[in-house]
Amino acid sequence: MGRPVLPVALACAALSCGMLLSACGGGKAARAEIPPASQRQWATLAPADPASANSVLMRAISLVGTPYRYGGNTPQAGFDCSGLINYVYRDMLDLALPRTTRDLAAVQGPRIAPERLSPGDLVFFGSRGSVTHAGIYVGEGRFVHAPSSGGTVRLDHLDGHYWRDHYSGARRVL
């Protein structure tokens, strides 16, 4: 069998260390906070390919703190949400995915209910039937994404007020 998927607790510990180190430099990163614990009980579903999921999660989490940039698709230039997803899957698995959020949402693969998410799934957000944002699910109700102008790549909870209200589905690409 493959290696186990990176536990979210370990990922959060790594993120916390990075945030503490970034606090020394000042700026917005110094005020960043780890999201509160999720209210929902999240099932732990193993990915079909644990080794691939693990590499995707490790790379995505390593990019936390990278600046947001519309149209960005590299760590040096910054990322928008679909650029982050594209970069991680291409860099770690040599998997070419569509570049836009709308095209990512249309990728063939099963639609996933929130309680059936597995690490490495793509999660989507929007309103009125339009998908406007995406991230990479890491487990225990958390996902990595590049949220908005002026922000940085970060780890958030699906149960966060905005994300819970705008969740529009997920796709399994692994």
Side-chain angles (χ1 to χ4, degrees), residues 15-165:
L15 176 61
S16 296
C17 290
M19 292 172 77
L20 287 172
L21 290 173
S22 69
C24 296
K28 289 185 178 181
R31 291 184 294 274
E33 296 178 16
I34 294 178
S38 177
Q39 301 301 314
R40 189 183 331 189
Q41 292 295 321
W42 292 90
T44 303
L45 298 174
D49 183 348
S52 292
N54 213 22
S55 65
V56 163
L57 300 183
M58 292 295 289
R59 186 63 175 135
I61 291 169
S62 78
L63 295 166
V64 167
T66 303
Y68 176 92
R69 187 178 128 226
Y70 181 77
N73 59 9
T74 67
Q76 298 78 20
F79 292 108
D80 64 12
C81 65
S82 58
L84 172 68
I85 291 168
N86 227 277
Y87 175 82
V88 168
Y89 279 86
R90 186 180 61 246
D91 187 43
M92 299 313 298
L93 304 177
D94 199 25
L95 178 61
L97 294 173
R99 177 57 180 93
T100 68
T101 303
R102 180 183 358 207
D103 290 342
L104 279 169
V107 166
Q108 288 203 333
R111 288 192 183 273
I112 311 298
E115 62 276 1
R116 303 288 304 157
L117 288 169
S118 181
D121 287 346
L122 302 182
V123 290
F124 298 98
F125 306 90
S127 60
R128 294 183 221 119
S130 177
V131 174
T132 57
H133 190 65
I136 301 170
Y137 185 70
V138 298
E140 297 180 14
R142 295 177 180 209
F143 67 106
V144 173
H145 64 123
S148 62
S149 294
T152 62
V153 173
R154 69 183 192 214
L155 185 65
D156 272 326
H157 280 279
L158 287 172
D159 279 341
H161 177 71
Y162 180 85
W163 307 116
R164 179 188 62 236
D165 294 345

